[in-house]
Amino acid sequence: MLLQRLVEYAESSGEVTPPFYARKPVRFLLYIAADGTPANAELVDFADPGTPGQRFGINRWMPNVTRTVGVAPTLAADTVEYVLGWVAEDGGRADRVAKQHTAFQELIRDWAAAEPDGPAPAIAAFYAGGHAPKVVTDRTWSRADVVAFVVDGQIATEHETAKRYWAGVAAGRKGLGRAGYCLVCGQVRDLLKTIPQQIPRRWLPGATQSASLVSVNEASHGYELTKLLAHTPICVTCGLTFMSSLTAVLSDERHSTALPGQNARLAWWLVGGSRFDPMAPLDAPDLDDARALLTTPVDGIDPGDDDLSTFCSVTVGGNVARVVIRDWVEMPLPRVKDHIRSWIDDHKIVDWSGEITQVRLTQLVRAAGRWQVGRGGAPGSWVKLGARGEDRPTGLQHALLRAALLHAPLPPRLLTHVLNRIRTDGRVDPARAALIRLGLRRQALRLDDPESRTAEFERLTPTLNLDNNDPAYLSGRAFAVLDDLQQTVFRAANQPLNTTFAERYMGRAITNPRVVLVNGQRTSTAWLRRLRGPLRKPGWARAYANRLDDIFAQIDTSRHSIPSTAVLAQKAQFVLGFHQQRAAMRAERIEAAAKKKNTDLPPASDDQPTTEGDAE
């Protein structure tokens, strides 16, 4: 089904790939006249390291087949070794290059004899006239740089005679020599012996060589110990099409994504005519189409093409010279849209300003890694993706994408990992809180009772939930109030605070809230006494005391004590309560200052939590 969907995408994309052609970077163009004389003595260099996608030249449709160790020239364009006979200092062998150059010229002469009306005679005359040794370049070049001929202003490989002749040559090299029933298109056509193209290794994380999607190059891999594709019939047209389609989507930033260190690359496409971008709501929530997705159920508007379109995605990796298919998804687009809406509902979270925010998927991956504090007062940051010591789960991006597109639960180990990072780093921010809320809501999917599942969803709100009587959640709220109280006391006394209550006890409070909160209640008595007495802030003291009394009263009302040995869900609830209570107090201060309303809390200060590190 994967191969069929790739062929369908090629047919609907409007870009027809010539047989045995592929997009390749062409660095040099060699201009010649119709009589074979060079237009100038130098190659024209189109490589530009400063331009994205043009580091090795301009991508063009070029003749292409998979080459192994043998000498196998392509038509009218090839490496500098084949076209000009240049021997590179970095590994070039003069005897082999001579054979390559001779084989390239022989192919040109055969082409000129078969197709005398195209550019072939001019290129043959170029070699017959001895012009090849005179071509030079003043640029640094490598043995893999591609040179293409331009005859009378037209790139020779784009001429119809070149496409026609090359199709016959390549089919002879890669064809099985007989026709048969193709497993992909279901028609009787000329079959392939091997897949003629490979995916460049740069699009396959983990691969050390370019690889083919279908390969039977050892007897032990094939049916009845048979090599090649004899028992895996794929016709020439389909084999070329699905390899070109997969390479195209993997190399297109609009249709693929990969993060360093995640060991996988996701490619997606739509079949059926829809122009909707399913990844925009996941990683660019501010775009118009992302906002339109969220408002569609309200407006009652859904484009007709979307109802008939199919979403396809494949997650690939590499193992030496093999393509590893890690995941394959084929789903009606309307269902994918519903899943993305659920994803947004499940992870959106309140930020420090009190607004509900959606976190980019890539930022969720970053937030799962190690946080490093800035030096000398500089802002902190996440350890870079793929860097040593990043401590991010392998395959996290893949797991989050599956959760978003398939409405699947998250691996339990992810929630454990994030909580351990919070305990180690002592950092709770909107991105990490979003991961925790997402993990808790997706755990609720495993509940068999629909009423229990609905109740859990309603309890896990993106903002502070005053009706959530879970003791672990209430413990996190109390912990946030105690931390805020301590900072207020030291700020009012104009005393430096080297380590806050949260920084000192966060790791222990997550696993054993009871010990920390009991100790915090005792310490808070002294803090409140200082506010009432020497600091002359009785109103502030009353505000904090009331909040703590209300929270602890809710714990008593719930008939459950503060957890002493927290399990995974309780740890997550504690962190969620801590974040939402802290954000709510911060938002209350901001609103009071903006609207000049009264609040019993002390005003905000510069040392309040910020979103530093949350930006990409």
Side-chain angles (χ1 to χ4, degrees), residues 560-602:
H560 294 283
S561 61
I562 302 172
S564 58
T565 304
V567 297
L568 179 62
Q570 291 174 319
K571 294 176 182 178
Q573 287 277 4
F574 178 91
V575 174
L576 189 62
F578 171 77
H579 169 76
Q580 291 180 344
Q581 178 67 48
R582 189 169 56 161
M585 296 171 70
R586 170 72 168 166
E588 183 179 341
R589 291 180 170 113
I590 294 175
E591 183 180 8
K595 298 182 179 180
K596 297 183 179 180
K597 291 183 177 180
N598 292 328
T599 177
D600 55 1
L601 289 172

Coordinates of all heavy atoms in Angstrom, one line a residue, residues 560-602:
H560 N -8.3 12.2 51.9 CA -7.1 11.6 51.6 C -6.0 12.5 52.1 O -6.0 13.7 52.0 CB -6.9 11.4 50.0 CG -7.9 10.4 49.5 ND1 -7.8 9.0 49.6 CD2 -9.0 10.6 48.8 CE1 -8.8 8.4 49.0 NE2 -9.6 9.4 48.5
S561 N -4.9 11.9 52.6 CA -3.8 12.7 53.2 C -2.9 13.1 52.0 O -2.9 12.5 50.9 CB -3.1 11.9 54.2 OG -2.6 10.7 53.7
I562 N -2.0 13.9 52.4 CA -0.9 14.3 51.4 C -0.1 13.1 51.1 O 0.3 12.4 52.1 CB 0.0 15.4 52.0 CG1 -0.8 16.7 52.4 CG2 1.1 15.8 51.1 CD1 -0.1 17.7 53.2
P563 N 0.2 12.8 49.9 CA 1.0 11.5 49.5 C 2.3 11.6 50.2 O 3.0 12.6 50.2 CB 1.0 11.6 48.0 CG -0.1 12.5 47.6 CD -0.2 13.5 48.7
S564 N 2.7 10.4 50.7 CA 4.1 10.3 51.3 C 5.0 9.5 50.3 O 6.2 9.7 50.3 CB 4.0 9.6 52.6 OG 3.4 8.3 52.5
T565 N 4.4 8.7 49.5 CA 5.2 7.9 48.5 C 4.4 8.0 47.2 O 3.5 7.2 47.0 CB 5.4 6.5 48.9 OG1 6.0 6.4 50.2 CG2 6.3 5.8 47.9
A566 N 4.7 9.0 46.4 CA 3.9 9.3 45.2 C 4.2 8.3 44.1 O 5.4 8.0 43.8 CB 4.2 10.7 44.7
V567 N 3.2 7.9 43.4 CA 3.3 7.1 42.2 C 3.4 8.0 41.0 O 3.3 9.2 41.2 CB 2.1 6.1 42.1 CG1 2.1 5.1 43.2 CG2 0.8 6.8 42.0
L568 N 3.5 7.5 39.8 CA 3.8 8.3 38.6 C 2.7 9.3 38.4 O 3.0 10.5 38.2 CB 3.9 7.4 37.4 CG 4.1 8.1 36.1 CD1 5.5 8.8 36.1 CD2 4.1 7.1 34.9
A569 N 1.4 8.9 38.5 CA 0.3 9.9 38.2 C 0.3 11.0 39.3 O 0.0 12.2 39.0 CB -1.0 9.2 38.2
Q570 N 0.6 10.6 40.5 CA 0.6 11.6 41.6 C 1.8 12.6 41.4 O 1.6 13.8 41.7 CB 0.7 10.9 43.0 CG -0.5 10.2 43.4 CD -0.3 9.4 44.6 OE1 0.7 8.8 44.9 NE2 -1.3 9.4 45.5
K571 N 2.9 12.1 41.0 CA 4.1 13.0 40.7 C 3.7 14.1 39.6 O 4.0 15.2 39.8 CB 5.3 12.2 40.3 CG 5.8 11.3 41.4 CD 7.0 10.5 40.8 CE 7.5 9.5 41.9 NZ 8.6 8.7 41.3
A572 N 3.0 13.5 38.6 CA 2.6 14.4 37.5 C 1.6 15.4 38.0 O 1.6 16.6 37.6 CB 2.1 13.6 36.3
Q573 N 0.6 15.0 38.8 CA -0.4 15.9 39.3 C 0.3 17.0 40.2 O -0.2 18.1 40.1 CB -1.4 15.1 40.1 CG -2.4 14.3 39.3 CD -3.5 15.1 38.7 OE1 -3.6 16.3 38.9 NE2 -4.5 14.4 38.1
F574 N 1.2 16.6 41.0 CA 1.9 17.6 41.8 C 2.6 18.7 41.0 O 2.4 19.9 41.3 CB 3.0 16.9 42.7 CG 3.8 17.8 43.5 CD1 3.4 18.1 44.8 CD2 4.9 18.4 43.1 CE1 4.1 18.9 45.7 CE2 5.7 19.3 43.9 CZ 5.3 19.5 45.2
V575 N 3.3 18.3 39.9 CA 4.0 19.3 39.1 C 2.9 20.2 38.4 O 3.1 21.4 38.2 CB 4.9 18.6 38.1 CG1 5.5 19.6 37.1 CG2 6.0 17.9 38.8
L576 N 1.8 19.6 37.9 CA 0.8 20.3 37.2 C 0.2 21.3 38.1 O -0.1 22.5 37.8 CB -0.2 19.4 36.6 CG -1.3 20.0 35.7 CD1 -0.6 20.5 34.4 CD2 -2.3 18.9 35.3
G577 N -0.1 20.9 39.4 CA -0.7 21.8 40.3 C 0.2 23.0 40.7 O -0.2 24.1 40.8
F578 N 1.5 22.6 40.8 CA 2.5 23.7 41.1 C 2.6 24.7 40.0 O 2.6 25.9 40.2 CB 3.9 23.0 41.3 CG 5.0 24.0 41.4 CD1 5.3 24.7 42.5 CD2 5.9 24.2 40.3 CE1 6.4 25.6 42.6 CE2 6.9 25.1 40.3 CZ 7.2 25.8 41.5
H579 N 2.6 24.3 38.7 CA 2.7 25.2 37.6 C 1.5 26.1 37.5 O 1.6 27.3 37.3 CB 3.0 24.4 36.3 CG 2.8 25.3 35.1 ND1 3.8 26.2 34.7 CD2 1.8 25.4 34.2 CE1 3.3 26.8 33.6 NE2 2.1 26.4 33.3
Q580 N 0.3 25.4 37.6 CA -0.9 26.2 37.4 C -1.2 27.2 38.5 O -1.7 28.3 38.3 CB -2.1 25.2 37.2 CG -2.0 24.4 35.9 CD -3.1 23.5 35.7 OE1 -3.9 23.2 36.6 NE2 -3.3 23.0 34.5
Q581 N -0.9 26.8 39.7 CA -1.0 27.8 40.9 C -0.1 28.9 40.7 O -0.5 30.1 40.9 CB -0.8 27.0 42.2 CG -0.9 27.9 43.4 CD -2.3 28.4 43.7 OE1 -3.2 27.6 43.6 NE2 -2.5 29.7 43.9
R582 N 1.2 28.7 40.4 CA 2.1 29.7 40.2 C 1.7 30.7 39.0 O 1.8 31.9 39.1 CB 3.5 29.1 39.9 CG 4.7 30.1 39.9 CD 6.0 29.4 39.9 NE 6.2 28.5 38.8 CZ 7.4 28.1 38.4 NH1 8.5 28.5 39.0 NH2 7.5 27.3 37.4
A583 N 1.3 30.1 37.9 CA 0.8 30.9 36.8 C -0.4 31.7 37.1 O -0.5 32.9 36.7 CB 0.5 30.0 35.6
A584 N -1.3 31.1 37.9 CA -2.5 31.9 38.3 C -2.2 33.1 39.2 O -2.8 34.1 39.0 CB -3.5 30.9 39.0
M585 N -1.3 32.9 40.1 CA -0.9 34.0 41.0 C -0.2 35.1 40.2 O -0.4 36.3 40.4 CB 0.0 33.5 42.1 CG -0.7 32.5 43.1 SD 0.4 31.7 44.2 CE 0.8 33.1 45.3
R586 N 0.6 34.7 39.3 CA 1.3 35.6 38.4 C 0.3 36.4 37.5 O 0.4 37.6 37.4 CB 2.3 34.9 37.5 CG 3.0 35.7 36.4 CD 3.9 36.7 36.9 NE 4.7 37.2 35.8 CZ 5.5 38.3 36.0 NH1 5.6 38.9 37.1 NH2 6.2 38.8 34.9
A587 N -0.6 35.7 36.9 CA -1.6 36.3 36.1 C -2.5 37.3 36.9 O -2.9 38.3 36.4 CB -2.5 35.3 35.4
E588 N -2.8 36.9 38.1 CA -3.6 37.8 39.0 C -2.9 39.1 39.2 O -3.6 40.2 39.2 CB -3.9 37.1 40.3 CG -4.8 37.9 41.2 CD -5.1 37.1 42.5 OE1 -4.9 35.9 42.6 OE2 -5.5 37.8 43.5
R589 N -1.7 39.1 39.5 CA -0.9 40.3 39.7 C -0.8 41.2 38.4 O -1.0 42.4 38.5 CB 0.5 39.9 40.1 CG 0.7 39.3 41.5 CD 2.1 39.0 41.8 NE 2.3 38.6 43.2 CZ 2.7 37.4 43.5 NH1 2.9 36.5 42.6 NH2 2.9 37.1 44.8
I590 N -0.6 40.5 37.3 CA -0.5 41.2 36.0 C -1.9 41.9 35.7 O -1.9 43.1 35.3 CB -0.1 40.3 34.9 CG1 1.3 39.8 35.1 CG2 -0.3 41.0 33.5 CD1 1.7 38.8 34.1
E591 N -3.0 41.2 35.9 CA -4.3 41.8 35.6 C -4.6 42.9 36.6 O -5.1 44.0 36.2 CB -5.3 40.7 35.7 CG -6.7 41.2 35.4 CD -7.8 40.1 35.5 OE1 -7.5 39.0 36.0 OE2 -8.9 40.4 35.1
A592 N -4.2 42.8 37.8 CA -4.5 43.9 38.8 C -3.7 45.1 38.5 O -4.2 46.2 38.6 CB -4.1 43.4 40.2
A593 N -2.5 44.9 38.0 CA -1.6 46.1 37.7 C -2.1 46.7 36.4 O -2.1 48.0 36.3 CB -0.2 45.6 37.5
A594 N -2.6 45.9 35.4 CA -3.1 46.5 34.2 C -4.4 47.2 34.3 O -4.6 48.3 33.7 CB -3.2 45.4 33.1
K595 N -5.3 46.7 35.1 CA -6.6 47.3 35.2 C -6.8 48.1 36.5 O -7.9 48.5 36.8 CB -7.7 46.1 35.2 CG -7.7 45.4 33.8 CD -8.8 44.3 33.8 CE -8.8 43.6 32.5 NZ -9.8 42.6 32.4
K596 N -5.7 48.2 37.2 CA -5.7 49.0 38.5 C -6.8 48.4 39.4 O -7.5 49.2 40.1 CB -5.9 50.5 38.2 CG -4.8 51.1 37.4 CD -5.0 52.6 37.2 CE -3.9 53.2 36.4 NZ -4.1 54.6 36.2
K597 N -6.8 47.1 39.5 CA -7.8 46.5 40.4 C -7.0 46.1 41.7 O -5.8 46.0 41.8 CB -8.3 45.2 39.8 CG -9.3 45.4 38.7 CD -9.9 44.1 38.2 CE -10.9 44.3 37.1 NZ -11.5 43.0 36.6
N598 N -7.8 45.9 42.8 CA -7.2 45.5 44.0 C -6.9 44.0 44.1 O -7.7 43.2 43.6 CB -8.1 45.9 45.2 CG -8.2 47.4 45.4 OD1 -7.2 48.1 45.1 ND2 -9.3 47.9 45.8
T599 N -5.8 43.6 44.6 CA -5.5 42.2 44.9 C -4.8 42.1 46.2 O -4.0 43.1 46.6 CB -4.6 41.6 43.8 OG1 -4.3 40.3 44.1 CG2 -3.3 42.4 43.6
D600 N -5.0 41.1 47.0 CA -4.4 41.0 48.2 C -3.0 40.4 48.1 O -2.3 40.4 49.1 CB -5.2 40.1 49.2 CG -5.5 38.7 48.5 OD1 -5.0 38.5 47.4 OD2 -6.2 37.9 49.2
L601 N -2.5 40.1 46.9 CA -1.2 39.6 46.7 C -0.2 40.7 46.6 O -0.6 41.8 46.1 CB -1.1 38.7 45.5 CG -1.8 37.3 45.6 CD1 -1.8 36.6 44.2 CD2 -1.1 36.4 46.6
P602 N 1.0 40.5 46.9 CA 2.0 41.6 46.7 C 2.2 41.8 45.2 O 2.0 40.8 44.4 CB 3.3 41.0 47.3 CG 3.1 39.6 47.4 CD 1.6 39.4 47.6

